[in-house]
Amino acid sequence: FFFFFFFFFFFFKQKTAYEIGVRLVGSEMCIRDRLYTDLGISLTDAATIIFPYTCSMTDFDALTEAQFCKGMNALGKSNWGGLKTAAKSMHEDISTLEKLTPIYKYAMELFRDRGTSHKHLKHEVAVLLWGQLLTKEVFPCKEQWDDFLGEYQKDLPAKKAVTTDVWNMFLEFVRMVRENKEEAVKKVMEDGVWPIIIEAFAGYLRKTVNSFCLKSCY
């Protein structure tokens, strides 16, 4: 009891929120760094998205005491040691497409650019989130996607913000790839209605990978 009282006093008395999220990295020394360091997880780990999701956070820079307690209850943990253990296995919550989907959609809500009236992610934030949330088990072409983003995004038209539609359509593309990789690429290339970044990636797969990913990812 004393430890839990001290924990809440330290984190909530000194500051009312844990500041989390890729958009805040480097902005200031914050309790978020202490929290995740003590949990033994990197700021680029998927747990930094999964834990807020578990707590039902509605603001990326504020985790209230009530939300923290809700997260602890959802995880079935009552102390720091239990939370630390749970943090190490949070990646299992995105191990299948079914598990990933609600967390993926939540990431848009949590990290969207609040500086405009339109709901979107800054391009660089979307890239970081894709890196955190996608696994090869869920997205067989993840390595090719990572290479594409790293080597080819500079050749795309201006790095446009990633809208909710683009964000969700990419998840649909992931689903299509899992069902039939050749048909997924063919559909994107022929439909002419997909976002530029997805069309460019489909073209990249067809041109440079040419069946390696399409036939040998599994």
Side-chain angles (χ1 to χ4, degrees):
F1 174 82
F2 174 78
F3 178 82
F4 223 61
F5 173 81
F6 176 78
F7 175 81
F8 277 114
F9 176 83
F10 180 80
F11 283 102
F12 294 105
K13 184 68 174 178
Q14 293 193 33
K15 205 164 190 177
T16 59
Y18 300 130
E19 292 161 325
I20 74 166
V22 291
R23 293 176 11 167
L24 294 176
V25 173
S27 62
E28 64 179 290
M29 193 65 182
C30 59
I31 288 177
R32 172 214 57 204
D33 301 324
R34 171 67 183 274
L35 172 64
Y36 291 130
T37 296
D38 287 351
L39 287 176
I41 57 179
S42 166
L43 292 178
T44 59
D45 193 284
T48 61
I49 303 170
I50 298 170
F51 185 60
Y53 169 78
T54 304
C55 295
S56 298
M57 287 176 60
T58 56
D59 191 339
F60 69 86
D61 64 355
L63 173 60
T64 66
E65 182 175 345
Q67 289 169 342
F68 179 81
C69 290
K70 179 178 180 179
M72 291 290 283
N73 288 333
L75 292 170
K77 306 300 178 183
S78 60
N79 55 56
W80 181 256
L83 177 58
K84 192 171 184 178
T85 299
K88 295 178 180 178
S89 60
M90 283 183 182
H91 64 276
E92 296 176 2
D93 290 341
I94 55 172
S95 60
T96 68
L97 185 61
E98 290 71 24
K99 291 181 178 179
L100 170 65
T101 297
I103 297 173
Y104 181 90
K105 293 183 177 180
Y106 169 79
M108 165 60 76
E109 295 297 325
L110 188 65
F111 293 102
R112 64 186 176 86
D113 186 357
R114 286 164 166 56
T116 69
S117 59
H118 301 290
K119 189 180 293 186
H120 67 260
L121 295 168
K122 291 182 177 179
H123 181 87
E124 60 272 21
V125 173
V127 170
L128 288 171
L129 291 175
W130 279 321
Q132 287 177 274
L133 292 172
L134 295 175
T135 65
K136 189 173 182 180
E137 288 71 27
V138 170
F139 185 35
C141 296
K142 174 176 169 52
E143 291 182 4
Q144 287 73 23
W145 175 243
D146 290 342
D147 290 343
F148 167 76
L149 289 176
E151 299 176 13
Y152 286 81
Q153 64 175 334
K154 61 181 180 293
D155 297 323
L156 293 173
K159 295 179 181 179
K160 297 180 180 179
V162 176
T163 65
T164 300
D165 285 344
V166 173
W167 183 252
N168 290 336
M169 287 182 76
F170 181 76
L171 189 64
E172 173 62 14
F173 176 69
V174 170
R175 183 193 64 76
M176 290 164 52
V177 166
R178 290 175 57 81
E179 292 181 355
N180 188 308
K181 295 178 286 291
E182 291 99 333
E183 286 300 316
V185 170
K186 180 180 179 181
K187 179 175 177 58
V188 169
M189 295 295 292
E190 295 180 353
D191 279 356
V193 297
W194 289 77
I196 292 175
I197 192 170
I198 300 177
E199 287 186 349
F201 179 56
Y204 166 73
L205 287 178
R206 176 173 285 182
K207 179 179 179 181
T208 65
V209 184
N210 187 33
S211 88
F212 173 74
C213 176
L214 300 183
K215 297 181 180 179
S216 306
C217 280
Y218 285 115

